[in-house]
Amino acid sequence: MISLDFISFQQHKDLSKYEDKKEKIKDLLTNSHEMLDWYDIDKCITEEEIIKIETLSETIRKECDVFLVIGIGGSFLGAKAVIEALGTYFTSNKPEIIFAGNNLSEEYLNKLLDYIRDKNVVLNVISKSGDTLETKIAFNILYKFIKSKYNQEEIKKRIIVTTDATNGSLRWFANENNLVSLNIPKQIGGRFSVLTTVGLLPIAVAGYNIRKLLSGARKNNYDSAFKYACVRDYLYNHGKVVESFTYYEPKLSSFSEWLKQLFGESQGKNKKGILPISCFNTQDLHSLGQFYQDGNPIIFETIIGLKQKGILPSSINNYMVSDINSLAVEKVAQAHLLAGIDSNIIYLDSLNEENLGELIYFFELAAAIGGYLLDVNPFDQPGVNEYKRLLNEALK
Ligand code: PA5
């Protein structure tokens, strides 16, 4: 279960001017069609696709050592966020999930080739457009590796292509080579695609229950998401132009990366928007903490807190370590409020599939609603396209 606490650590705000927008925006989400299929979980993924993913992932889990996920932006961040949040700290599961294509480091790719040389590898290349440079480069290199290692029949079992059903060079490549492929729904953009084939195959291969993830998402907390979006919009209109996604559990590091993409790419346009940053406490209390408490007060925080049962008593007055971590969430928020820094707190009672599904969908709703409140299109990314165009031109 997740719970949202918008009021404890904020100065009083009058959100009444937003009231008449609540039903209008809900109508937009329900009745418009452009890039909104993520709003209806049944349009994210069909039962047939869930079964295909479950069957594929079962075979992959039995047979492979390393599952390579090649993609960038929305084509990998959501899966990485969920896998890391549900994973362990010090041991790697089998199969090990490794991400590539999300950077242009030659050394990374080179070391990756060394690392997987003698391992049993399956590769999932993910790109909606099929034309993203970073993904293409990593896939070209890793495809050559797969071809040098396995015969034609084996290759067909070792490459899974996740892309548009009809368009793009990756779709052409998959059809031409008779490869196993999964379709990305046409009306869902990258950063809203974690609950589609894009995120669900890697998550299932990592051993997590995708049905529970989807059932969490179906809870559809529209009212809470709307309130959170209004609080953000209000703060933005009162000079708070930076939102810190603050977490107190190291497993949420990639989740905060996904949040940065979701909000940054959905709302940062037309010279408007809140800059999303992330903060890992209590580590960053000893670095960014100084700025939050005492620096330019342009920030507000959205905190993801965990209400976990304690395991380890600390040496401090017999408090459990987890209780001290929870107390830190509250006391830091109180301290920041004294400096005029507001906080929204979202508590999870544990890190499990259902809670993460609910949280993902909550933030997707908030990002879309926030885009409408800001009067920008939350579903395009003209700024990202611009660098792609220039880099591709330079490479011609
Ligand atoms: O949210 C988005 O649409 C982007 O971040 C894309 O996910 C990213 O640019 C990768 O695009 P593609 O899946 O087409 O390779």
Side-chain angles (χ1 to χ4, degrees):
M1 210 181 68
I2 71 173
S3 61
L4 307 136
D5 182 352
F6 296 124
I7 44 171
S8 312
F9 300 105
Q10 287 186 50
Q11 287 141 27
H12 178 71
K13 289 168 188 55
D14 180 10
L15 300 177
S16 53
K17 75 164 185 163
Y18 293 99
E19 260 155 37
D20 66 318
K21 298 197 169 134
K22 191 168 176 180
E23 288 312 308
K24 280 187 198 145
I25 292 182
K26 198 175 198 175
D27 266 9
L28 271 178
L29 290 171
T30 319
N31 299 320
S32 358
H33 301 292
E34 239 354 57
M35 303 315 280
L36 266 161
D37 278 0
W38 58 270
Y39 184 70
D40 179 351
I41 298 297
D42 290 335
K43 290 186 181 157
C44 287
I45 191 95
T46 62
E47 177 60 23
E48 204 181 313
E49 284 167 326
I50 294 177
I51 293 171
K52 184 172 175 181
I53 288 174
E54 286 171 338
T55 315
L56 267 173
S57 60
E58 215 173 293
T59 318
I60 296 168
R61 281 177 60 70
K62 270 190 218 135
E63 289 170 9
C64 95
D65 303 319
V66 171
F67 186 68
L68 284 178
V69 179
I70 304 177
I72 194 164
S75 288
F76 91 105
L77 280 166
K80 189 162 192 272
V82 173
I83 292 168
E84 189 179 295
L86 296 173
T88 53
Y89 301 103
F90 307 114
T91 49
S92 66
N93 288 347
K94 186 177 175 294
E96 189 178 350
I97 315 287
I98 297 183
F99 295 89
N102 58 332
N103 63 70
L104 288 171
S105 162
E106 186 175 302
E107 188 176 1
Y108 181 85
L109 280 173
N110 199 29
K111 294 282 182 224
L112 177 60
L113 288 171
D114 283 348
Y115 184 71
I116 61 178
R117 200 162 314 278
D118 300 318
K119 298 198 163 69
N120 187 334
V121 177
V122 173
L123 183 161
N124 181 201
V125 56
I126 309 174
S127 174
K128 174 137 191 232
S129 62
D131 284 316
T132 301
L133 184 73
E134 293 91 332
T135 310
K136 265 189 185 168
I137 291 173
F139 181 56
N140 284 344
I141 290 171
L142 291 159
Y143 178 57
K144 276 194 198 120
F145 162 81
I146 296 270
K147 264 176 58 174
S148 68
K149 193 168 157 146
Y150 300 106
N151 66 31
Q152 226 21 60
E153 273 319 291
E154 278 289 310
I155 290 174
K156 283 191 196 151
K157 290 191 224 149
R158 287 176 186 278
I159 298 181
I160 301 156
V161 177
T162 308
T163 191
D164 188 88
T166 50
N167 296 330
S169 52
L170 203 51
R171 169 50 59 200
W172 175 87
F173 180 83
N175 293 349
E176 193 70 8
N177 292 288
N178 231 341
L179 299 173
V180 178
S181 70
L182 295 165
N183 296 338
I184 305 178
K186 285 198 184 292
Q187 294 298 330
I188 299 183
R191 57 193 173 276
F192 289 83
S193 71
V194 49
L195 301 173
T196 72
T197 53
V198 170
L200 295 178
L201 178 65
I203 292 168
V205 170
Y208 303 114
N209 188 324
I210 56 173
R211 289 183 190 269
K212 285 191 180 161
L213 196 71
L214 292 167
S215 95
R218 281 181 211 279
K219 288 187 184 161
N220 190 336
N221 286 308
Y222 180 81
D223 288 357
S224 304
F226 183 79
K227 188 167 177 194
Y228 167 53
C230 294
V231 170
R232 293 177 79 250
D233 193 70
Y234 178 99
L235 290 167
Y236 173 67
N237 288 319
H238 287 78
K240 304 291 186 178
V241 292
V242 178
E243 177 172 24
S244 167
F245 289 108
T246 302
Y247 56 99
Y248 284 70
E249 162 53 56
K251 285 183 184 181
L252 291 173
S253 166
S254 289
F255 198 87
S256 77
E257 293 302 312
W258 175 75
L259 285 172
K260 285 189 324 202
Q261 187 214 8
L262 181 67
F263 285 93
E265 227 178 0
S266 300
Q267 296 179 3
K269 48 198 78 163
N270 301 346
K271 307 285 174 241
K272 295 193 258 189
I274 299 166
L275 174 70
I277 62 169
S278 63
C279 174
F280 169 42
N281 283 349
T282 58
Q283 172 183 283
D284 289 344
L285 286 173
H286 299 257
S287 63
L288 291 175
Q290 169 60 34
F291 193 106
Y292 286 27
Q293 191 71 44
D294 208 16
N296 192 343
I298 50 172
I299 306 163
F300 66 96
E301 285 187 273
T302 295
I303 300 162
I304 303 179
L306 278 179
K307 291 221 156 146
Q308 281 168 321
K309 279 208 180 76
I311 314 164
L312 297 177
S314 85
S315 54
I316 312 288
N317 294 341
N318 280 332
Y319 276 102
M320 294 290 184
V321 178
S322 57
D323 291 340
I324 301 177
N325 206 13
S326 300
L327 202 58
V329 171
E330 282 178 32
K331 294 299 156 195
V332 172
Q334 264 177 24
H336 287 177
L337 187 60
L338 293 175
I341 305 300
D342 299 85
S343 306
N344 311 300
I345 304 187
I346 297 167
Y347 282 112
L348 273 70
D349 56 11
S350 74
L351 278 177
N352 58 35
E353 287 94 332
E354 196 141 3
N355 283 348
L356 283 170
E358 193 176 348
L359 196 63
I360 285 168
Y361 193 79
F362 167 81
F363 279 121
E364 286 181 351
L365 277 175
I369 297 166
Y372 291 134
L373 292 176
L374 204 58
D375 201 21
V376 298
N377 177 357
F379 308 118
D380 65 0
Q381 53 282 328
V384 176
N385 294 343
E386 202 50 23
Y387 105 84
K388 289 186 184 176
R389 185 180 67 77
L390 289 178
L391 190 54
N392 282 321
E393 243 173 53
L395 289 170
K396 264 186 193 146

